Amino acid sequence: MSNVKVTLFITCIVDMFQADVGKATVEVLERLGCDIEFPMGQVCCGQPAYNSGYVEESKDAMKKMIATFENAEVVVTPSGSCATMFKEYQHIFHDDPVWRPRAEKLAAKTYELTEFIVNVLKVENVGARLKGVATYHPSCHMTRLLGVKDAPMTLLKNVEGLRFEPLPNAHNCCGFGGTFSVKMGNISEQMVDEKVDSAEQTKADFLIGADGGCLMNIGGRMERRGKPIRVMHIAEVLNSR
Amino acid sequence: MAMKIGEGKFKENVNKNMEDTFMRGAVASAQERLRTRRLDAAEELGNWEEWRSHGEEIRQHVLNNLDYYLHELAENLQKRGGHVFFAATADEATGYIREVVNAKGGKKVLKAKSMVTEEIGLNQVLEEEGCTVIETDLGEYILQLDEHDPPSHIVAPALHKNKEQIRDVFSEKLEYKMTSKPEELALHARETLRQEFLTADIGITGCNFAIAESGSVGLVTNEGNAGLVSDLPKTQVVVMGMERIVPTFEEFEVLVGLLTRSAVGQKLTSYITALSGPREEGDVDGPEEFHLVIVDNGRSSILGTEFQSVLQCIRCAACINVCPVYRHIGGHSYNSIYPGPIGAVLTPLLGGYDDFKDLPYASTLCAACTDACPVKIPLHELLHKHRQVIVEREGRAPISEKLAMKAFGLGAASNPMYAAGSKMAAAMMKPFTKNDRISNGPGPLKAWTEIREFPAPNKERFRDWFKEYEKGGGNQ
Ligand code: SF4
């Protein structure tokens, strides 16, 4: 498949803190024959306020995003959680006759990055190469709410040189949870510590994930504790050669 | 003890309980065991998702026709000589039961495990009347011996204790001299309890599901104690939450299958008991007098609201067994006999936000609970609904948070503001940044950086890079 027009929803975390993940996403998709478009009008998807219960406050940001991506053919984002949020809009605007249909259209054309590569582009090997031992943290929103479970592993298994060690208790949340990470900091700390302990048990060189928020949480805790394992977003892994 | 089990603030409880490494070890290993067993049992059944949908349908149907089925249940039970009492509040329920006990001159009360009797604080009321109340479920019995330690889990009430701690309780209270082997502990408890069975005046049980069509009460236990509690004493009292009802035995079977698999990973628990009112002529066993107490205690005010689905709950604890927050803070932190995700949704509804408004925030919204629930209650969505109600309808959020969220709303939605803010971030954070890391952040970052490093904002944001990249013709 060639020249698929992809409109990138980069997420505010990647835009501001993980620009390298954004660049890797662009390069991987271009190599697979996509034309990338990036509407500068995109802002935050509204999730931080929404999840804290500020539904009304977050609606303007959501409307802004719906309008910004209105003309896109497909929307791809390197975050399972933010993709889930785009799909949530249709429920949030359920009783709004104007915005609901627009939100439904957005939901139908939004894909998380690995899901897009495997299920739409039908590519299982992106030709990446990375030497070492890796473990993978499946983020909660991506696996449970978006339902993307297999695509990341399908792609990662085909990365040349990478050997996998399963992460113990992988299903447990890393303790990020947006504002939970600061509002309930003491609980969050215990959760992320258990995640870091599990990752260390694997003796992996890389901890891979597909969601910037979780990676910022796990990575930030690892660095604080010292002897960090290298935390990589899956886009960066797929862009390694 | 009623639903509320302590006075401490949520955060204080959490800090205290997280120090308890014994408890956390016990909880983590129980979670892993129960989770695996549930998954195996679900897989063995096959098409688990269909069963869940079926269970959800049954529960929704019942809730939407609750009046009808309660009426049918009461009528059928009364026809066979049973007494039915509708209690609007906990006090009405305990008051009625106290009268029944007093009228019989009852002194010794045997109980099978029941969360609703905990909810209404029944034991305390009866003890104040001078009765001896004996819990026959092993877990409840341990807690009762241990100076009424409150339950920390709705299926395994003593889950927070390991076997060594249980042995210590037994040695202190029962002059127990054996090891901490679970079999030896259970045997000893059973022998001590058996003597009590024969001399009790009143038996009190909960109810897993009442069956409307037959006017009977279905009980599911692991230990067979419910059967004894309901058979031996002359007077029998069943206490049920008003929503715990099914139309016929057919639905009963479906829900029991979901319950036992989800709770303990068993196809069926060892004992299923159906109670159908007082002994009739020619019956060889059964009580002489039978009372069914149907407890509302706040449930009917949940019906018809956005929280109605929480009443689908069959109290299997699967959500608790997968909750990563519960795993670290244990059941007692919730200050409620209903802990974990189900508790964080149900407790504020039954007990109010004054005491329980922190609970809906004790979740990352990871949805492990929703995924595990056998009757498909969208627990993480209900937790989020609570937050919305607390912020929007109750106006209880802190002012600083409200202002921050307002600012977020404006900033995130407006392009110039988002662009300017995100561009300035790197410069603003410069004084706090070292090696591209912020270790001691200001303002809202403080709480984050107490625990973790925070990345310095990119000097060149992704969007700046992309603009240049595009100008350069991208990869062409
Ligand atoms: S909410 Fe669902 S998973 Fe939790 S106890 Fe009730 S039925 Fe079980």
Side-chain angles (χ1 to χ4, degrees):
Chain A
M1 209 195 274
S2 65
N3 290 337
V4 187
K5 218 165 120 212
V6 167
T7 304
L8 206 55
F9 160 31
I10 206 63
T11 79
C12 50
I13 288 186
V14 170
D15 190 19
M16 287 175 66
F17 300 107
Q18 301 167 349
D20 288 346
V21 172
K23 293 174 204 172
T25 305
V26 171
E27 287 171 9
V28 167
L29 287 173
E30 282 185 343
R31 217 175 282 125
L32 296 174
C34 301
D35 287 338
I36 309 292
E37 186 188 77
F38 181 84
M40 291 289 162
Q42 59 186 281
V43 288
C44 169
C45 68
Q47 190 170 184
Y50 178 77
N51 280 355
S52 304
Y54 293 81
V55 175
E56 286 312 314
E57 274 81 353
S58 56
K59 277 186 177 167
D60 284 348
M62 297 177 191
K63 288 178 180 171
K64 174 87 189 153
M65 291 300 250
I66 294 172
T68 301
F69 289 93
E70 200 119 59
N71 296 322
E73 280 171 35
V74 288
V75 178
V76 175
T77 181
S79 158
S81 185
C82 302
T84 306
M85 195 63 205
F86 262 26
K87 297 198 182 257
E88 194 60 30
Y89 287 178
Q90 54 190 327
H91 307 299
I92 298 166
F93 290 108
H94 183 268
D95 298 325
D96 187 325
V98 177
W99 287 94
R100 180 179 164 184
R102 295 173 74 178
E104 281 170 349
K105 280 195 199 117
L106 178 64
K109 66 186 178 191
T110 296
Y111 299 90
E112 180 279 329
L113 176 67
T114 62
E115 175 195 22
F116 179 71
I117 296 174
V118 174
N119 297 346
V120 180
L121 299 181
K122 309 271 181 220
V123 173
E124 297 195 347
N125 186 341
V126 297
R129 240 177 298 150
L130 180 67
K131 215 169 135 30
V133 181
T135 193
Y136 178 75
H137 168 63
S139 286
C140 305
H141 288 176
M142 174 144 153
T143 45
R144 299 201 185 97
L145 302 181
L146 197 62
V148 177
K149 294 191 178 117
D150 301 333
M153 279 317 285
T154 304
L155 292 171
L156 288 173
K157 285 217 170 102
N158 289 321
V159 173
E160 203 184 306
L162 208 53
R163 188 166 68 75
F164 270 90
E165 277 299 327
L167 184 66
N169 283 316
H171 55 268
N172 276 344
C173 172
C174 73
F176 175 57
T179 51
F180 174 88
S181 61
V182 291
K183 241 186 146 113
M184 298 273 168
N186 48 353
I187 308 176
S188 176
E189 179 178 352
Q190 302 301 318
M191 292 166 73
V192 71
D193 263 347
E194 191 179 359
K195 190 58 72 180
V196 173
D197 289 343
S198 304
E200 282 173 355
Q201 271 174 41
T202 66
K203 304 228 163 19
D205 306 305
F206 312 105
L207 174 88
I208 302 171
D211 238 306
C214 315
L215 295 180
M216 214 158 105
N217 179 42
I218 304 171
R221 183 63 185 165
M222 276 186 180
E223 278 186 37
R224 176 62 57 86
R225 285 177 29 168
K227 290 188 286 172
I229 299 171
R230 183 163 172 216
V231 172
M232 287 182 90
H233 189 283
I234 192 165
E236 296 173 292
V237 178
L238 299 180
N239 198 37
S240 302
R241 32 210 60 233
Chain B
M1 199 189 317
M3 187 175 73
K4 192 174 166 195
I5 57 175
E7 289 304 324
K9 288 216 161 59
F10 178 69
K11 284 222 160 126
E12 291 161 10
N13 293 348
V14 166
N15 285 334
K16 188 177 107 224
N17 290 324
M18 282 193 320
E19 305 268 299
D20 186 347
T21 43
F22 280 121
M23 177 278 286
R24 290 176 56 183
V27 171
S29 68
Q31 273 200 333
E32 275 151 41
R33 193 175 63 243
L34 290 167
R35 176 178 177 275
T36 317
R37 285 174 65 170
R38 175 178 58 84
L39 292 175
D40 289 349
E43 197 183 0
E44 189 204 49
L45 181 66
N47 49 15
W48 181 245
E49 285 311 308
E50 275 168 46
W51 282 99
R52 285 178 82 205
S53 298
H54 195 31
E56 179 191 25
E57 260 168 51
I58 294 172
R59 294 300 293 141
Q60 284 179 347
H61 170 80
V62 166
L63 293 176
N64 292 332
N65 301 279
L66 195 55
D67 284 357
Y68 175 85
Y69 288 116
L70 282 172
H71 186 75
E72 190 184 3
L73 170 72
E75 219 172 39
N76 287 333
L77 186 58
Q78 280 159 342
K79 255 189 242 159
R80 279 202 314 278
H83 304 275
V84 179
F85 180 73
F86 282 93
T89 61
D91 282 348
E92 277 186 33
T94 52
Y96 177 83
I97 298 164
R98 186 175 49 207
E99 271 169 37
V100 170
V101 173
N102 285 340
K104 292 276 129 194
K107 281 285 158 235
K108 201 182 224 185
V109 178
L110 270 193
K111 272 188 71 206
K113 184 182 139 21
S114 141
M115 289 312 294
V116 68
T117 60
E118 299 270 359
E119 180 189 316
I120 60 175
L122 182 60
N123 289 15
Q124 204 184 337
V125 171
L126 294 179
E127 279 165 6
E128 278 164 14
E129 279 307 288
C131 295
T132 310
V133 182
I134 298 147
E135 293 286 355
T136 61
D137 170 81
L138 183 55
E140 291 284 358
Y141 181 61
I142 294 165
L143 296 182
Q144 195 183 25
L145 285 178
D146 194 16
E147 314 287 332
H148 296 281
D149 191 16
S152 70
H153 186 276
I154 60 175
V155 170
L159 182 110
H160 55 288
K161 288 195 184 328
N162 61 27
K163 46 189 197 296
E164 285 74 27
Q165 289 167 314
I166 297 169
R167 182 205 49 211
D168 293 346
V169 173
F170 278 22
S171 346
E172 195 189 319
K173 307 282 177 183
L174 300 177
E175 290 164 17
Y176 176 76
K177 299 213 170 47
M178 317 262 273
T179 70
S180 61
K181 273 201 195 118
E183 305 79 45
E184 288 180 9
L185 289 166
L187 188 69
H188 189 77
R190 205 165 282 177
E191 278 167 3
T192 319
L193 278 170
R194 192 161 296 151
Q195 296 156 14
E196 310 280 8
F197 280 116
L198 302 168
T199 54
D201 307 306
I202 315 263
I204 300 183
T205 73
C207 159
N208 289 101
F209 307 103
I211 298 116
E213 183 191 55
S214 62
S216 45
V217 167
L219 283 170
V220 180
T221 62
N222 257 324
E223 297 160 13
N225 52 331
L228 294 174
V229 171
S230 57
D231 265 1
L232 298 174
K234 286 197 176 125
T235 305
Q236 174 66 36
V237 179
V238 174
V239 189
M240 71 176 262
M242 70 181 282
E243 81 288 10
R244 307 296 294 276
I245 190 168
V246 290
T248 72
F249 270 103
E250 204 177 303
E251 291 83 18
F252 178 76
E253 222 171 276
V254 174
L255 292 183
V256 168
L258 286 167
L259 172 63
T260 56
R261 284 181 172 86
S262 302
V264 284
Q266 270 172 346
K267 270 184 266 173
L268 288 177
T269 47
S270 325
Y271 300 91
I272 293 175
T273 315
L275 316 176
S276 307
R279 170 193 310 210
E280 288 178 26
E281 275 213 14
D283 284 357
V284 284
D285 56 6
E288 288 169 8
E289 208 176 294
F290 187 96
H291 299 263
L292 176 65
V293 180
I294 301 175
V295 178
D296 183 333
N297 202 28
R299 286 161 174 76
S300 56
S301 58
I302 303 173
L303 279 174
T305 70
E306 67 258 65
F307 293 103
Q308 176 170 309
S309 58
V310 77
L311 296 175
Q312 285 162 220
C313 178
I314 59 174
R315 303 284 190 274
C316 72
C319 57
I320 300 174
N321 297 340
V322 295
C323 178
V325 170
Y326 176 91
R327 181 181 180 86
H328 292 288
I329 70 175
H332 289 164
S333 295
Y334 293 80
N335 251 358
S336 163
I337 57 157
Y338 299 118
I342 176 62
V345 174
L346 185 63
T347 306
L349 293 170
L350 297 180
Y353 288 122
D354 279 345
D355 285 335
F356 300 110
K357 72 169 185 321
D358 286 330
L359 299 190
Y361 296 94
S363 163
T364 57
L365 305 181
C366 76
C369 46
T370 300
D371 228 29
C373 180
V375 289
K376 290 181 130 178
I377 302 174
L379 289 154
H380 75 285
E381 289 174 18
L382 297 181
L383 288 168
H384 177 256
K385 277 250 148 65
H386 267 308
R387 297 180 186 184
Q388 191 183 350
V389 171
I390 288 169
V391 168
E392 292 179 354
R393 217 179 294 156
E394 299 266 322
R396 286 177 191 248
I399 305 251
S400 57
E401 184 186 281
K402 268 191 228 166
L403 290 174
M405 290 301 174
K406 267 247 141 52
F408 170 88
L410 291 172
S414 134
N415 245 149
M417 277 178 72
Y418 174 88
S422 61
K423 207 175 172 73
M424 270 167 10
M428 270 164 35
M429 286 299 143
K430 196 136 182 262
F432 304 96
T433 307
K434 215 170 126 192
N435 301 332
D436 281 339
R437 293 284 144 199
I438 299 166
S439 301
N440 198 353
L445 274 187
K446 190 169 176 295
W448 177 280
T449 54
E450 271 167 10
I451 300 160
R452 336 160 180 79
E453 305 293 311
F454 192 77
N458 295 131
K459 287 183 204 86
E460 185 189 53
R461 294 167 307 171
F462 171 79
R463 62 180 65 216
D464 306 323
W465 172 82
F466 192 84
K467 234 184 254 166
E468 288 305 310
Y469 178 73
E470 236 186 353
K471 251 192 246 156
N475 69 339
Q476 272 95 51

